[in-house]
Amino acid sequence: MVSSSHEAMHRIFQEYPGLFSRVSEVLGVEIGPPASATVMPTDLTENRPLERRVDTLLRIDMEDDRSYLLAIEAQGKKDPDKPASWMYYLSYLQAKYKLPPMLLVVCQDRATAEWATRPFTVGHPQLPVLTLQALVAGPHNMPVITDVAEARKDLALATLAAITHAGDPDIGAILKTLSTALRDVPETIADPIVELTAQGLGNRPAAQQWRNLVAVDLSFYKSSLSEEIRDEGRADGIARSILLLLAQAGIDVPDEARERITGCTDLDALSRWLLRAPTATSVEDVFSEK
């Protein structure tokens, strides 16, 4: 199953195609800024039952009329079968579009990133016929951005850097820097960054840190994520009020019922329970729809 962090690691390049030129500089290969970029179909399946799809595929057109294809793969762990698939992708793209392809692999752990960095070969050990050398962005080489001014210079790069450092001990400072950098940014720019960061952090502990920062630092901001966080805050407050009223009435609340109340995120349901709590004689009265 494809995880949310997997999606964010390559989808950010669809949102910000020019990001690759800045990432390439970080990786020591200056590609230069694009004149334009086009999101291409990711289906590389031939007329056979074997299905092959690259995560993100961009056509990058340069100002000097040169063009190339950029295949972006999010890689969560070492996979001995993946290099052969990558070679297939690149060969197929060269043959189909007659444009030079490049491969960028985005990782969130150092071991996987270092594995993807090494060259992979196909053929006899003494005479390999194909050699794959990918560009790799991961926690081993992406910058740790904890300076607000630096983050503001390139919010897309700061976002990708935060995603690749999701497991870093300094992730709290990295996310705080990013949320602070977004304070004076128009919603149309901040919205995809807030959402991509949340998606990229997946189910790591840092994801809750980001949600808390969005709720506090960007409390003025009306993104779907910040609205969701504020709803969670309201739900938590109503749940505590219900339990307090029941406790004052001397009503025993079993663990199952307590979890049902505190785990509920439906504000309408919580409001109904809150209205019933003052006159309830048992916890079942709170939940009764009669």
Side-chain angles (χ1 to χ4, degrees):
M1 181 180 294
V2 175
S3 65
S4 63
S5 57
H6 177 104
E7 287 293 298
M9 284 192 284
H10 68 86
R11 193 167 65 83
I12 189 172
F13 291 91
Q14 297 179 25
E15 296 282 346
Y16 310 101
L19 173 61
F20 178 63
S21 67
R22 280 101 72 190
V23 171
S24 69
E25 291 179 22
V26 173
L27 304 182
V29 182
E30 292 200 24
I31 303 299
S36 64
T38 306
V39 178
M40 305 285 285
T42 59
D43 190 348
L44 308 184
T45 307
E46 297 184 54
N47 293 324
R48 296 183 301 170
L50 182 62
E51 182 177 302
R52 299 180 188 268
R53 292 180 186 273
V54 66
D55 286 337
T56 283
L57 179 62
L58 301 175
R59 174 181 171 137
I60 305 294
D61 299 311
M62 309 294 284
E63 291 184 353
D64 60 4
D65 294 329
R66 290 181 299 120
S67 299
Y68 64 93
L69 298 174
L70 176 62
I72 302 159
E73 286 277 286
Q75 192 65 25
K77 61 182 180 179
K78 298 178 185 179
D79 182 350
D81 295 328
K82 206 58 186 279
S85 295
W86 290 338
M87 288 183 181
Y88 171 89
Y89 297 164
L90 298 173
S91 299
Y92 178 88
L93 291 171
Q94 175 78 50
K96 180 175 182 178
Y97 293 105
K98 310 302 182 191
L99 291 173
M102 296 183 68
L103 173 64
L104 174 66
V105 181
V106 184
C107 307
Q108 288 181 300
D109 74 275
R110 181 178 293 271
T112 301
E114 292 176 347
W115 163 81
T117 300
R118 72 173 193 247
F120 297 95
T121 60
V122 168
H124 192 279
Q126 292 180 279
L127 189 63
V129 293
L130 289 176
T131 300
L132 171 71
Q133 183 68 69
L135 284 173
V136 181
H140 69 304
N141 58 9
M142 290 298 289
V144 175
I145 300 177
T146 54
D147 180 78
V148 175
E150 183 182 356
R152 282 179 175 152
K153 287 180 183 177
D154 196 332
L155 288 168
L157 180 62
T159 302
L160 180 65
I163 291 172
T164 56
H165 286 287
D168 195 289
D170 294 327
I171 187 61
I174 295 170
L175 295 177
K176 177 62 177 176
T177 299
L178 183 57
S179 68
T180 302
L182 291 175
R183 284 180 182 174
D184 300 319
V185 173
E187 292 183 14
T188 53
I189 296 174
D191 189 8
I193 290 175
V194 169
E195 304 297 338
L196 277 167
T197 304
Q199 188 178 32
L201 296 174
N203 59 2
R204 291 176 172 80
Q208 187 58 51
Q209 290 180 268
W210 180 244
R211 298 175 74 85
N212 294 339
L213 286 168
V214 171
V216 176
D217 288 355
L218 304 177
S219 58
F220 61 90
Y221 179 55
K222 302 299 183 185
S223 74
S224 59
L225 178 63
S226 59
E227 285 294 327
E228 180 184 338
I229 292 170
R230 282 191 282 277
D231 282 348
E232 287 179 1
R234 288 193 287 269
D236 184 59
I238 296 173
R240 286 200 301 268
S241 297
I242 293 169
L243 293 174
L244 179 60
L245 288 169
L246 294 175
Q248 289 177 333
I251 296 174
D252 179 58
V253 181
D255 290 342
E256 184 178 348
R258 185 178 297 273
E259 290 175 6
R260 181 178 177 184
I261 293 170
T262 58
C264 181
T265 58
D266 185 337
L267 292 177
D268 290 336
L270 285 167
S271 296
R272 291 195 299 272
W273 297 347
L274 181 62
L275 290 173
R276 297 175 191 144
T279 59
T281 57
S282 69
V283 71
E284 287 77 17
D285 292 341
V286 172
F287 300 133
S288 175
E289 296 295 337
K290 295 181 179 179

